[in-house]
Amino acid sequence: QVQLVESGGGLVQAGGPLRLSCAASGISFNTNVMNWYRQAPGKQRELIAAITSGGTTNYADSVKGRFTISRDNAKNTVYLQMNSLKPEDTAVYYCNTLWLFRNYWGQGTQVTVSS
């Protein structure tokens, strides 16, 4: 059974940092691309960061230079370090991966950035 469990969300002031974690089980984690998405109220879910098994990363323009995705294959965990947070980063953040042709999502973790 595939499980993705996010943690680390919360309320933070604008300009502050926050680190999200996503613990994965039921997949061959070290061979999988891992993604972070977010969904703000009234908006579509958007892909903001991705990391390949080899550690290559990609970011949406909206977070480039402020967010860093990383992974620890020994812990089956992917991280999203978020710095210089802005009120427009307020959203539910989701961990995602594709495994055996199915898309899997975590339950989401709320990030709220106050101005």
Side-chain angles (χ1 to χ4, degrees):
Q1 182 181 359
V2 177
Q3 280 195 313
L4 301 174
V5 180
E6 301 102 335
S7 61
L11 175 64
V12 62
Q13 285 193 330
L18 205 59
R19 189 175 86 151
L20 306 182
S21 300
C22 171
S25 59
I27 63 172
S28 179
F29 180 83
N30 60 349
T31 64
N32 257 43
V33 174
M34 300 298 298
N35 307 304
W36 282 101
Y37 282 73
R38 70 184 180 188
Q39 187 167 20
K43 295 191 176 180
Q44 287 191 330
R45 194 171 296 191
E46 63 169 338
L47 175 63
I48 58 170
I51 185 166
T52 69
S53 58
T56 300
T57 58
N58 278 287
Y59 300 94
D61 288 343
S62 57
V63 306
K64 200 173 293 182
R66 300 187 299 121
F67 290 11
T68 302
I69 188 172
S70 62
R71 65 192 298 157
D72 185 337
N73 289 337
K75 295 182 178 179
N76 284 8
T77 300
V78 61
Y79 303 98
L80 186 68
Q81 177 66 46
M82 305 185 292
N83 296 328
S84 302
L85 282 161
K86 305 174 181 180
E88 51 263 44
D89 294 318
T90 295
V92 179
Y93 285 70
Y94 297 91
C95 181
N96 163 268
T97 194
L98 182 67
W99 175 246
L100 297 180
F101 307 108
R102 285 188 60 183
N103 235 345
Y104 289 92
W105 299 90
Q107 81 285 359
T109 186
Q110 176 71 47
V111 172
T112 303
V113 184
S114 64
S115 57

